[in-house]
Amino acid sequence: QVQLVESGGGLVQAGGSLRLSCAASSHTFSSYAMGWFRQAPGKEREFVAAISWSGGNTYYADSVKGRFTISRDNAKNTVYLQMNSLKPEDTAVYYCAATLRRSSYDESVYDYWGQGTQVTVSS
């Protein structure tokens, strides 16, 4: 069982930056691949980024590639999403997720989800 808690969301102007954090309760955090997803009102949840258990491999949706960076600190049981050059279309609730399987863009492989944190980007 893994409990995930996101933080760091807020209101930011277009072009600004935010850093999201996802803190995990499990001491076996390093065994999990992690992902970030987001969901805007009226839209389906979509993949944003993923990172392998070791942090050696990262993956990004085309829409955020070059602007967002996913990283993890296993000593702190935390995964981060650094978001730069934010756009209004990035506005959504952002969720982190964990899986013992290989990291993926497919949300169905993730077994544990946080409650989400709101990111709002104004134009």
Side-chain angles (χ1 to χ4, degrees), residues 89-102:
E89 50 263 46
D90 295 318
T91 296
V93 176
Y94 283 71
Y95 300 89
C96 66
T99 179
L100 285 170
R101 290 166 284 185
R102 184 167 53 197

Side-chain angles (χ1 to χ4, degrees), residues 37-46 91-95 118:
F37 294 79
R38 66 187 183 186
Q39 186 170 212
K43 300 182 67 177
E44 295 184 3
R45 187 159 55 193
E46 64 178 358
T91 296
V93 176
Y94 283 71
Y95 300 89
Q118 178 71 49

Side-chain angles (χ1 to χ4, degrees), residues 77-122:
N77 289 356
T78 302
V79 63
Y80 304 96
L81 185 68
Q82 179 67 47
M83 306 185 294
N84 299 325
S85 301
L86 283 163
K87 305 174 181 179
E89 50 263 46
D90 295 318
T91 296
V93 176
Y94 283 71
Y95 300 89
C96 66
T99 179
L100 285 170
R101 290 166 284 185
R102 184 167 53 197
S103 59
S104 176
Y105 60 84
D106 187 351
E107 67 178 72
S108 67
V109 310
Y110 293 90
D111 302 307
Y112 303 99
W113 295 81
Q115 293 294 307
T117 185
Q118 178 71 49
V119 172
T120 302
V121 184
S122 62

Side-chain angles (χ1 to χ4, degrees), residues 8-55:
L11 175 64
V12 64
Q13 294 183 1
S17 298
L18 284 174
R19 189 193 194 198
L20 305 184
S21 298
C22 176
S25 62
S26 177
H27 72 284
T28 59
F29 172 77
S30 62
S31 298
Y32 291 84
M34 302 293 297
W36 284 98
F37 294 79
R38 66 187 183 186
Q39 186 170 212
K43 300 182 67 177
E44 295 184 3
R45 187 159 55 193
E46 64 178 358
F47 169 76
V48 176
I51 188 167
S52 61
W53 66 268
S54 67

